Amino acid sequence: MKTRFTNKKAWLCLAAMAAPSLVPVAANAAELSIVSKEAHPAEAIHKKVELFGSLRLSADYDDSDVSGAEADMNPLLSDGGTSISSNTSQVGIRGQVPIDENYWMLFQYDQQVDIDDTDPGDVLTTRPSFLGLRSPFGTFLVGRINTPFKSVGVTYLGYFNTTVGDSHAILGASANGVGRLDLKAANSVSWSKDFGQIAVSAQYSADQGGSINAVDDNARESYSGSLTWQPGAALNVSGAFIHFDDAGGLGDVDAYRGFAKYAIGPAQIGAIYETVDSETNDSMSRDAYGAQLNYTVIPAWTAVAQWNHAEDSDAGNDAADQYSVGVFHPINKQLLVHAMYTTTRNDGDAVYRGVDYAHGDKLGTLPGRSPQAFSLGAQLLF
């Protein structure tokens, strides 16, 4: 197996984890609720039993930078057209049952709702679902759970999460489109605990590939951990790692990610860095980094911008840049509306998508092309 993590690489990664960086801290209540649900679902449980969910609908214009004939070859390709997406709309139940004043059982069952899909077999898709225990020794969860590596990435995304500007078009993705790192791990156990300004999280999956009515295959295990320092509302510095055994199409994978965010008056700035080493997919073995700026233009109107860059992988000639700009307006604590533009500029052999991951309708492309998308959307939380 190739080794990318030389001493120099390790020190660069640690330095990035400790550097000041970007994402919304003093953001509006609707945006903060979105991030809390996505990254740390156990922290959102406050009642004995409650119904919860979010509807995220948008109208988009998508262009893969391809011809009509090329677009006909793949449903993820578009030569320019309108698309209606339900993004990551979801509905679920969750709650907590007291054992005594120090111990609480937690539960959550969460399903994605694909409103724009007519396939009856693809309407509901399992999201983080678990049984857990909240105790003085930390929170323990068993089930299908976000990895700490993914949770750190989602916290970085902030406003861009579930929009056409989702940063996962670059982060956690490979230059050839094979494999993804920001996953929910099936068959998992996790532990997390706050130690004042420091939060620690660890997770293990006995079979991250999933198993149905069969013994978990430990040859597909994974483990991940994260460390977060948050001395106040204005600053968040986080680092995470993940290891996959036999990840689909990638062999063994090791990845490290660090980010920070800082609020200064009406502005929130930040940055992220990650490095990935794949045993069998040279196009996944690369470094990536990015930056964001969020600025409250007038009360209740926030402008956002981001740049994410993937360096050439071990395969070569496949660097890429993602640029996104948008504006968000909370109607109230539950309703957030937005407009967003994003484009991904691929080098000769790169096929990083224009729109990926949590948005819903993914926008693919061909090597060396520059896909783009414009979106008007609303997010209603309940």
Side-chain angles (χ1 to χ4, degrees), residues 10 181 197-198 213 225 231 241 274 354 381:
L181 300 184
Q197 298 177 356
I198 303 295
N213 299 326
F241 76 92
E274 69 178 21
L381 309 180

Side-chain angles (χ1 to χ4, degrees), residues 26 88 92 109 186 275 332:
T88 306
Y109 182 70
T275 185
N332 53 45

Side-chain angles (χ1 to χ4, degrees), residues 187-205:
N187 305 300
S188 287
V189 294
S190 75
W191 167 80
S192 61
K193 182 171 173 56
D194 292 344
F195 298 91
Q197 298 177 356
I198 303 295
V200 182
S201 182
Q203 172 266 341
Y204 170 76
S205 170

